[in-house]
Structure formats: C-alpha cells, structure tokens
Amino acid sequence: MKKIVFVVFVSLLLWTPNAFCGVLNDRSLDDFKGFVNSLEVKDGVLYDFDDNVWMNTISGSLFTLQDKAHELGLASLRAGYGVQEVFFGEIEANIPAIVSTYIPEQLKNFQINVKALKLFPSVGFAVGYDFQQKDISWGPTVGIKGIF
C-alpha cells in the first residue's frame, strides 16, 4: 500500500507543473473536439452472461483500426466501465464501416446527425472484472459512438 501511495504522489508531483502550464495555455473548441473524437466515446449496454443482466457502460478507444474511406475506424480495442463496478476491455466493430460494402447504396454511411454531433451504432464483445461480486463479467455490447 505504501508503494502505491508513493507512486501516486510522485506521479502527481511530476504532473502538476505540466497541468499548471496547460491551464495557462489558450485552448479552443477544436482542441476539445479533437480529444473527444480520438477517444471515440461510446455509451452502451453490456449483457453479462454470468449474471444474466444488462448494465449501462461507457468506454473509450485505446486503439482504432482506421480506414481512409470512413470517418470512424473499422474496429477498435476499448477500455470501459459499467455502472455495477465492472471494468472491462472490449473488441468493437463499427457497424456502418463494416457493412457499407454489403448493403444497398441508399443505406450506405448511415448516421444520425444531432446538430454538430454524429452518432454511429456499434457492437462488440467485452470481458471484465466485477468488483461487487468479485467475478469475471463477459458478454456482447451494443451502443452508440459520437463524434463532432
């Protein structure tokens, strides 16, 4: 425990000057949009096969397999959190990018525009650890990703 506290303290000590300098720098809305778009934030649900329950989740992209033809990547490796104290890793597929070659021309590039935000459906498979029940949680995920 002492080692963890020491590591956190040293990390904060090293990070504080950088954070202070970052606050003084002028940030624009484009910086915020770029940060959110790089994370590809996803709001979704995970069906836990062990407990037979649906849980709300939020996740962010760690690595994205990009394709120049699509705004979002084809697939991504994600890390997330479920509302029942479940931390998980997920392999996710971007539905419009994957199936755009197999669907009719009228339905290509399906997206929902909400003012400046574009929403894309996605599916995936997640494996994580449930800290309340102290067991493994695993199952499919379905959700919506948004980009600016």
Side-chain angles (χ1 to χ4, degrees):
M1 183 66 178
K2 289 181 183 179
K3 289 181 183 178
I4 293 173
V5 171
F6 178 73
V7 169
V8 169
F9 177 72
V10 170
S11 299
L12 287 175
L13 187 62
L14 294 174
W15 179 71
T16 302
N18 295 334
F20 182 70
C21 293
V23 170
L24 295 178
N25 292 334
D26 187 24
R27 297 288 178 223
S28 68
L29 183 59
D30 290 335
D31 293 335
F32 175 74
K33 287 181 180 179
F35 175 72
V36 172
N37 289 347
S38 67
L39 282 179
E40 295 180 1
V41 178
K42 174 182 167 185
D43 180 30
V45 291
L46 164 77
Y47 183 76
D48 187 357
F49 282 133
D50 284 340
D51 298 332
N52 294 324
V53 295
W54 288 95
M55 68 180 82
N56 292 330
T57 62
I58 187 162
S59 65
S61 177
L62 299 174
F63 174 78
T64 302
L65 179 64
Q66 290 290 345
D67 181 17
K68 293 179 182 178
H70 299 93
E71 227 171 327
L72 288 175
L74 297 174
S76 64
L77 181 63
R78 309 178 68 78
Y81 176 75
V83 295
Q84 297 172 337
E85 294 186 24
V86 175
F87 290 94
F88 63 89
E90 174 185 6
I91 296 176
E92 177 236 19
N94 183 12
I95 296 171
I98 296 292
V99 300
S100 65
T101 56
Y102 302 110
I103 60 175
E105 191 67 34
Q106 308 90 297
L107 300 176
K108 280 193 177 180
N109 298 323
F110 171 76
Q111 64 188 20
I112 302 168
N113 291 322
V114 181
K115 294 195 179 185
L117 183 67
K118 296 177 185 173
L119 302 175
F120 296 87
S122 65
V123 296
F125 188 82
V127 176
Y129 187 75
D130 187 339
F131 285 93
Q132 282 183 343
Q133 298 181 6
K134 299 191 180 3
D135 69 346
I136 301 294
S137 295
W138 60 283
T141 62
V142 178
I144 298 289
K145 288 197 303 191
I147 64 168
F148 290 100

